[in-house]
Amino acid sequence: MFRSLPVLLAVIVAAGCAATGKEGGGETGTGGTGPITFATGRDTTAYLQPLLDRWNQAHPAEKVTLLELPEAADEQRAQIAANLQAQSNRYDVIGLDVVWTAEFAENGWIIPLERGLFPLDRFLPPVVETAVYKNKLWAVPYTSNAGLLYYRTDLVTKPPRTWAELRDQSRTIMKKHHIGGYAGQFLAYEGLTVNFAEAVQSAGGEIVSRDGTEVTLDPAKGEIALDFLFQGLREGWIPKDSLSFKEEESRLAFQEGELAFARNWPHAYGPAKAKLGGKVGVTRLPGLNGPGSSTLGGANLAVSAFSKHQHTAQEFIRYFTSLENERRVLTEGSFPPVWTELYDDPALIKRFPYLPVLKESILAAKPRPVSANYNQLSLVIASSVAKALGNPSIESADDVAASMKSELEEIIRTQ
């Protein structure tokens, strides 16, 4: 889930240093202390303010003020981008969805950070990569995320590892218990891009190269990924209602007992367990020939290139992403942390049984394409897949995958 969490942080940049061109503009420095603002998605868990209060008590001359943005990631991005395009210094620390790193760095809206200032070697490696663009660190990982397969433990003896097993178990449970089989997020939005990317990855392919410079989608792999979804919809073990599902709809359908299996992010675990009386299990997403690969989600903290208090912002980020606070992010906010050791803590595993599986999923996950034009790429993918899934007359996915590749190549060529 790409729920953006808080954060606009400041880096070590000289006070008054602002972006003057591409790749972040300002150079790191040591000046710029004073009050800062922290722009992040609206906190619905109430865990955030106590962390800010601790900072403010210890730093009375460098207090942080929370600026809550809309909950929806696309609305957050629009609001932050408008502010930074105007070169406003209203934001100091910014919470970025992991897919925004390249765009914000390329536009000179955030500044590069010094790797040695942060304990990156103790973070999950794939998570760190989401904050890197053109070999520079542009943000600090704050939360991570990976998709999981939720299943009913009272209906499933052994969770599926392959798509074939998922299909067979779904069909059997449907007939016996008269509930839906499997659903993900299949509405035409970022969630569908994620679900399709996971299907491609889980078939052994990829859509765009890691550096975002080449469309590497093998139409045959794209066809296999689409056929997985086509087959489920045609045979009915993927309910047609799921074509309108985002994260919330799929979460509710599963926890209300309407599905045997559902793909979702870790945040869905607590509500499902409470609603279903503990009859909830999680495992890695299934793939073509074995466990599949999730898309990497999460949020990073960056420092505005137009902040006047970048040194304070940097120190705030160091505080906010500390081991102690990352533990609170999990225990009080229920968000996946970025520190590796927290996933191996017996006390935390007892409280959050999904942690070992989540760790495996994150380590096997792949980031979305690193591109300053990511939003355009995502729009093409989601609209192409949605159009195909909603058209029952389509007999083969060959043309869909080939057409999608052509459109993506055009975006890459013109970026």
Side-chain angles (χ1 to χ4, degrees):
M1 170 184 106
F2 15 90
R3 297 174 69 148
S4 270
L5 281 179
V7 309
L8 190 73
L9 303 139
V11 180
I12 340 178
V13 184
C17 244
T20 57
K22 298 291 185 181
E23 296 194 18
E27 295 300 324
T28 56
T30 57
T33 62
I36 58 173
T37 58
F38 173 30
T40 180
R42 183 172 296 115
D43 174 32
T44 59
T45 65
Y47 88 99
L48 185 56
Q49 192 58 51
L51 300 187
L52 304 184
D53 291 341
R54 292 186 184 95
W55 166 271
N56 288 340
Q57 289 168 8
H59 303 82
E62 301 173 279
K63 289 188 175 182
V64 59
T65 298
L66 176 65
L67 299 179
E68 288 193 315
L69 303 174
E71 285 187 56
D74 56 350
E75 294 179 33
Q76 290 176 27
R77 180 194 162 277
Q79 191 165 319
I80 296 172
N83 178 280
L84 298 177
Q85 284 173 337
Q87 298 189 12
S88 167
N89 62 9
R90 176 168 170 74
Y91 299 159
D92 296 291
V93 177
I94 308 168
L96 302 182
D97 189 294
V98 293
V99 300
W100 301 343
T101 303
E103 177 191 6
F104 280 57
E106 192 69 31
N107 286 327
W109 295 341
I110 55 178
I111 62 173
L113 307 177
E114 293 185 14
R115 293 174 184 255
L117 295 173
F118 309 96
L120 302 179
D121 60 329
R122 298 177 69 179
F123 292 0
L124 294 163
V127 175
V128 176
E129 287 303 304
T130 68
V132 175
Y133 178 62
K134 293 184 177 179
N135 296 318
K136 291 184 179 180
L137 182 73
W138 294 93
V140 179
Y142 175 60
T143 64
S144 187
N145 232 341
L148 301 171
L149 180 70
Y150 287 75
Y151 64 93
R152 289 276 299 274
T153 57
D154 56 328
L155 305 179
V156 178
T157 303
K158 184 179 180 181
R161 291 168 50 86
T162 66
W163 290 340
E165 291 175 358
L166 175 64
R167 172 181 181 266
D168 292 345
Q169 291 186 28
S170 292
R171 287 162 62 93
T172 298
I173 292 171
M174 283 177 60
K175 292 178 180 178
K176 186 175 181 179
H177 299 280
H178 307 291
I179 66 172
Y182 167 78
Q185 293 76 50
F186 302 140
L187 183 68
Y189 78 116
E190 176 68 9
L192 183 54
T193 296
V194 167
N195 278 247
F196 177 68
E198 290 173 340
V200 172
Q201 292 161 195
S202 298
E206 66 177 3
I207 300 175
V208 178
S209 63
R210 177 66 182 87
D211 61 5
T213 61
E214 180 184 3
V215 178
T216 52
L217 176 64
D218 177 353
K221 298 292 186 183
E223 180 184 356
I224 291 171
L226 282 169
D227 278 343
F228 161 60
L229 300 175
F230 278 147
Q231 183 184 51
L233 288 164
R234 286 175 182 153
E235 297 179 352
W237 53 271
I238 295 180
K240 284 187 170 53
D241 286 351
S242 65
L243 293 176
S244 65
F245 281 9
K246 295 197 289 187
E247 284 91 348
E248 187 67 0
E249 288 81 4
S250 53
R251 178 183 72 82
L252 289 173
F254 178 77
Q255 73 181 47
E256 294 300 323
E258 299 171 10
L259 295 167
F261 301 96
R263 180 260 177 230
N264 218 320
W265 306 96
H267 78 280
Y269 183 84
K273 184 178 180 180
K275 187 70 175 180
L276 294 171
K279 299 174 182 178
V280 178
V282 293
T283 188
R284 285 179 56 180
L285 297 175
L288 179 61
N289 299 310
S293 170
S294 171
T295 292
L296 202 59
N300 298 332
L301 308 183
V303 177
S304 169
F306 312 107
S307 166
K308 293 184 177 180
H309 299 146
Q310 292 177 343
H311 180 74
T312 298
Q314 166 199 279
E315 291 304 311
F316 176 78
I317 291 178
R318 282 158 55 87
Y319 156 80
F320 217 68
T321 57
S322 67
L323 179 60
E324 179 184 4
N325 281 338
E326 283 287 306
R327 184 182 295 272
R328 292 191 180 103
V329 164
L330 174 61
T331 60
E332 299 173 26
S334 295
F335 294 107
V338 298
W339 284 70
T340 304
E341 61 199 78
L342 293 177
Y343 289 82
D344 304 318
D345 186 311
L348 291 178
I349 293 173
K350 183 176 181 180
R351 182 172 172 183
F352 304 95
Y354 59 81
L355 285 179
V357 171
L358 178 56
K359 179 183 178 182
E360 287 182 23
S361 297
I362 291 174
L363 292 176
K366 297 184 184 298
R368 280 161 278 181
V370 176
S371 172
N373 290 328
Y374 175 78
N375 281 351
Q376 294 181 48
L377 297 175
S378 177
L379 180 61
V380 165
I381 295 169
S383 60
S384 298
V385 176
K387 185 176 181 180
L389 296 183
N391 185 354
S393 65
I394 292 179
E395 294 298 327
S396 173
D398 301 22
D399 293 341
V400 176
S403 175
M404 179 192 301
K405 181 175 183 179
S406 179
E407 289 188 64
L408 295 175
E409 286 175 335
E410 180 63 24
I411 294 173
I412 294 293
R413 277 197 300 271
T414 58
Q415 69 180 5

